[in-house]
Amino acid sequence: MTKELGVHLQVTHHFTRPEGTAHEEGAQTSLNQVRRSGGIANFATYVIGHERNQQAEDPDQSLIMRLRL
């Protein structure tokens, strides 16, 4: 699909551990938390992070996802 559209797609999911709230609990994501983020920041046109509290006590709250550009 990427060849047909003429785009490059790269998915990265390795984060450094944040201080305070964990990513699994909905901590804010940041480009500098992505391991080896220098290359991603230099070559990506867009980087989209998403956050969701997987540990929320209310099941409806665990479904809410925030996207960051």
Side-chain angles (χ1 to χ4, degrees):
M1 183 171 86
T2 58
K3 286 185 179 182
E4 284 182 31
L5 297 174
V7 298
H8 174 79
L9 175 67
Q10 180 173 340
V11 178
T12 304
H13 57 84
H14 298 283
F15 285 93
T16 59
R17 295 182 188 266
E19 292 185 25
T21 306
H23 287 113
E24 295 84 359
E25 296 173 354
Q28 181 174 330
T29 57
S30 172
L31 185 58
N32 63 6
Q33 292 173 333
V34 178
R35 291 187 184 176
R36 303 176 192 247
S37 62
I40 295 169
N42 289 330
F43 297 111
T45 303
Y46 296 103
V47 177
I48 303 171
H50 60 88
E51 303 154 4
R52 181 172 65 95
N53 186 352
Q54 299 174 4
Q55 311 298 322
E57 291 182 22
D58 180 358
D60 291 336
Q61 289 295 316
S62 67
L63 298 175
I64 297 172
M65 184 183 301
R66 178 179 296 138
L67 297 177
R68 280 187 199 284
L69 289 176

